Amino acid sequence: QGQPTPTNNLPMFVLPPYFLIDGVGPNSWHSINLDLAARTKTQVPNLPVFGVVFCPVETLSSSGPKIISDLQGLQLDGFVIWADGFSGNQGIEQLRYVQDFVRSLAALGKPIISLYGDAFSLALSYSGLTGYCCGICYGEKKSADQDADVEGGIPPRYYLSLLKKKVQ
């Protein structure tokens, strides 16, 4: 009684399995991600399926239009972006690559969520980003091969509210 049931507590969307892509082509991880997204779409026809773009910024720059074109063909309900190792305090070129990719992807008219969040993600909302993951000490940067720091104490960090981030 009062507990959510699957009929009234459905997920917001489903993410298909995905892999880090560093290029596009017929034998790339990108093609596998596309296949997995298409299969997921057929398996859960009554739930929104979001495609995942998980790649370095350089791949967004070099292959962004092809990635968007391939995703458009799948008729997905939205997109999740994980620019590997990216943070909003990188050089202007990397910021432009991400902004241009988000703007182009937004032309498809679907929601776009970034798997990291900082002040730059807020600025990307003007380019079409509809959501991002954020929180103090969480989600400001995500790397595919990041090692978990399991030894030693947690270094002191201080939250700077004007910058909306913690620093050591």
Side-chain angles (χ1 to χ4, degrees):
Q1 210 176 39
Q3 297 294 317
T5 62
T7 57
N8 66 8
N9 192 28
L10 295 173
M12 290 177 61
F13 55 84
V14 176
L15 289 180
Y18 59 90
F19 297 94
L20 175 70
I21 60 173
D22 57 4
V24 298
N27 295 319
S28 67
W29 286 111
H30 172 64
S31 64
I32 292 170
N33 287 351
L34 293 172
D35 181 56
L36 291 169
R39 289 174 188 237
T40 301
K41 187 80 173 155
T42 63
Q43 293 298 312
V44 288
N46 298 325
L47 292 172
V49 176
F50 280 37
V52 180
V53 179
F54 175 35
C55 61
V57 174
E58 295 77 21
T59 304
L60 292 179
S61 170
S62 64
S63 304
K66 174 69 172 146
I67 292 169
I68 292 169
S69 172
D70 291 344
L71 289 171
Q72 184 177 15
L74 297 178
Q75 299 297 308
L76 297 169
D77 302 293
F79 307 98
V80 171
I81 299 173
W82 177 355
D84 184 40
F86 179 76
S87 71
N89 60 3
Q90 289 183 308
I92 190 73
E93 287 300 313
Q94 287 82 14
L95 297 176
R96 270 201 193 107
Y97 295 150
V98 173
Q99 180 186 29
D100 291 347
F101 182 81
V102 168
R103 184 176 288 128
S104 297
L105 188 59
L108 300 181
K110 308 288 181 161
I112 305 168
I113 300 171
S114 175
L115 281 186
Y116 86 96
D118 64 1
F120 181 66
S121 295
L122 181 59
L124 283 177
S125 66
Y126 294 101
S127 298
L129 192 69
T130 56
Y132 55 91
C133 301
C134 68
I136 299 172
C137 295
Y138 172 79
E140 293 177 356
K141 180 178 180 180
K142 294 184 185 315
S143 297
D145 59 356
Q146 184 173 336
D147 291 330
D149 186 11
V150 294
E151 294 183 22
I154 297 173
R157 297 181 75 173
Y158 303 94
Y159 182 67
L160 303 177
S161 59
L162 292 175
L163 297 177
K164 299 188 179 357
K165 65 176 16 180
K166 279 207 168 190
V167 294
Q168 284 184 318

